[in-house]
Amino acid sequence: MDKIRIALAGNPNVGKSTLFNRWTGMRQHVGNWPGKTVEKKEGTFKYKGQEIEVVDLPGNYSLTAYSVEEVVSRDYIVDEKPDVIVNVIDAANIERNLYLTVQMMELGANLVLALNMNKFAREKGLKINKKQLSQLLGVPVIEIEAVDDTGSEELLKNIVKSSQAPNIVLDRLEYGNEVSEHIQEIQEILDEDVPGLDAPSSWIALKLLEDDPEITKKIEESGNGQRVLKNVKKMQRHFNDVFGDDADAAITDARYGFIAGLVSESVKKPKIDKVTRSDMIDRIVTHKYLGIPIFLLIMWLTFQITFTLGDPLGGYIEEAFGWLGSTVAANMGEGFLTSFIVDGIIGGVGGVLVFVPLIFILFLVLSVLEDSGYLARAAFVMDRFMHKLVGLHGKSFIPMILGFGCAVPGIMATRTLENERDRLLTMLIVPFMSCSARLPVYALIVAAFFSAYQGWVIFSLYLLGIVVAIVVAAIFKKTIFKGMSAPFVMELPPYRIPTVKGALIHMWERGVLFLKKAGTVILALSVVIWALSSLPVGVEYASQDSITGQIGTTLAPVFAPLGFGEWQATVAIIYGFMAKEVVVSTFGIIYGIGEDSGGEATAEEAAPDEQVSSETSEGSSIEAAPAEEEAAPEEDPGFIAVMQELFTPLSAYAYMVFVLLYIPCLATLATIRRETNSWKWPGFAAVYTFGVAYVVSLVVYQGGLLLGFA
């Protein structure tokens, strides 16, 4: 038999992705659904020699046409017709999860039910008779634990069996006489007038009665649907007369009635709801007064762990690039090509890649927090604060948290917000979250000025980003986005211990984007910066006479009131607009990071006595100490010396604040353009974030001077 094609479907946070990762491991591909901005994950694995292709469908509560994710899922079931759909169900919330099950049964899907999180169900006192449930639904029901192998063999065996002998389930559904009769009437007219539909006519009839716009349009375009649509309108009026409500509500009630019957037959509930372990933890973690301090403590620990573990690892990468730079320089000798490879490529890209350990460790910690169920609590805790003070939906905090990794997925995550004004507003404030691309800039500067308080200083920047985002949101909410948000309703998944494999896969999925960027955008920009730093012909590389130096010199006075009016700092900010990592690679190219620690290349060009030499805007010479062979970039004494010449501690902090808040990178602006389908909002975001960054940095620097800081 050819490979079996299966899809994983279920509500959000039921363990679908955990199961997908366990089955496919690294044999998976992440992309977007055709024509959509919804993430698509697919992979393959083998079971007893049989190849199985699996697609992880977006998490949904239903299959209506209200969200892109729902449309993607049902279109896949209808158009692609997978051999088997594995419906992963949270056993602790089985009644709610079965609503999606019923909708997939209406589509005629060949289902296998995987009951996950059974220990949480038992903690709540639920006793599920899976044999009875299976008989009532007409599909296999298997108990599994997605985090380990429990039930895995039985589930796979039933998937193979069901692919060979599909489960017919349409006749199992019951809606009551009134609803069933009218569905049947519409179905018969459909079969006569519009035969050959790509989905069961009973499902089309249901969707027409529910006034589903996509299905209605499809029938209209068929050319033979007039009698069908006329009768649908007649039935809808009839439902209104009989039930005192529209057909949509009547059908929803009928589904819940069917589910209530199923549950009463197959699930025993305790007379009094039990207090679970998750409930007890939530009493502390989501406490009215303790919730926010606990959240801040966890974020502070995140950055401490990131720097404690990441710094030494970065040293090894720096050592490798230092060796590579000096080896290339020693073998090729001085010249234009050597400068291109050593200064442009190794200095630019290498200066950014040394921060890979920091970024991967940050993603790993965020993955553990997300997989454990804590991040959903963080959003819940912040809702109380954001809703009352800012008037913004607490759900907006999830995209903001994702923005700590990268603003692009954070902006895409705003699709979960139903209110369009909230969605636009959240898109505009997500770029204030300090993404991983800014981390290398902080690491470089705190090593030069705040080495004893690295974790605290960087924590303050992350906190400042949140505060500025909330203040800006409050201002926008009272001006251009007036109106209160809907009350916050969000599912809090049970706490669970993240799997090592799952956390590593999540870390890799996010971190690899940084590596790809280093190999494409940053490499290209490094070459551009190198060229601009080498021209016009004959000037000293990366000197003030080069094009780069001239651009920086022209614009530097704009930033002088902020404390960093030197041309080198200005050039780094300008190029950082393309991608924030480029701020560091620009410094790397200008000052020759990547070869100093290895020894000779740029040092020979810059100063015969093997010391780094550069010029400030005032024309003074900076002499850096000879580099030690195994120094990380932020530990490179030559680099630290030029940073200390370029900035004071106060201006260095103001510079980091500016980098934190100023114009989002090109990829982020392009994502806002794609999500809003307009250049108006990315243009607005670019202008207003520059203004905010300028004002806040000005306040930090000038305020610091008034208070006596230097």
Side-chain angles (χ1 to χ4, degrees), residues 13 37 74 123 146 155 157 251 277 333 369 455 487 525 596 643 671:
N13 298 312
T37 49
R74 80 179 195 188
E123 275 184 23
L155 178 59
K157 196 184 297 178
I251 292 169
R277 186 176 51 183
L369 291 175
L525 290 176
D596 286 357
M643 287 293 107
T671 306

Side-chain angles (χ1 to χ4, degrees), residues 102 170-177 180 254-259:
V102 168
L170 279 174
D171 59 349
R172 301 296 178 119
L173 295 164
E174 290 288 343
Y175 303 102
N177 291 338
S180 296
R255 289 190 184 114
Y256 277 116
F258 175 68
I259 293 167

Side-chain angles (χ1 to χ4, degrees), residues 251-391:
I251 292 169
T252 301
D253 287 345
R255 289 190 184 114
Y256 277 116
F258 175 68
I259 293 167
L262 275 177
V263 171
S264 66
E265 293 281 339
S266 57
V267 181
K268 281 189 179 178
K269 298 178 180 177
K271 290 181 180 174
I272 302 172
D273 287 342
K274 286 188 176 180
V275 178
T276 65
R277 186 176 51 183
S278 288
D279 294 333
M280 289 190 282
I281 297 173
D282 277 343
R283 286 176 184 173
I284 300 171
V285 171
T286 61
H287 188 271
K288 185 177 180 182
Y289 300 113
L290 295 177
I292 290 180
I294 289 173
F295 166 69
L296 294 176
L297 176 65
I298 289 174
M299 295 311 293
W300 178 81
L301 283 172
T302 297
F303 302 125
Q304 291 295 331
I305 292 169
T306 299
F307 277 89
T308 304
L309 298 180
D311 258 0
L313 297 175
Y316 294 114
I317 297 178
E318 166 62 10
E319 184 185 348
F321 274 102
W323 173 84
L324 183 62
S326 60
T327 302
V328 170
N331 285 284
M332 295 182 67
E334 290 187 22
F336 192 73
L337 185 58
T338 303
S339 173
F340 171 69
I341 295 174
V342 175
D343 299 325
I345 296 178
I346 298 177
V349 178
V352 173
L353 285 182
V354 293
F355 298 98
V356 163
L358 288 177
I359 289 164
F360 270 70
I361 291 171
L362 177 64
F363 280 138
L364 180 63
V365 177
L366 288 177
S367 296
V368 169
L369 291 175
E370 185 178 1
D371 292 354
S372 69
Y374 176 72
L375 281 192
R377 268 76 181 182
F380 178 80
V381 166
M382 291 304 292
D383 178 67
R384 194 179 297 131
F385 174 76
M386 292 179 70
H387 212 94
K388 286 182 181 174
L389 294 185
V390 185

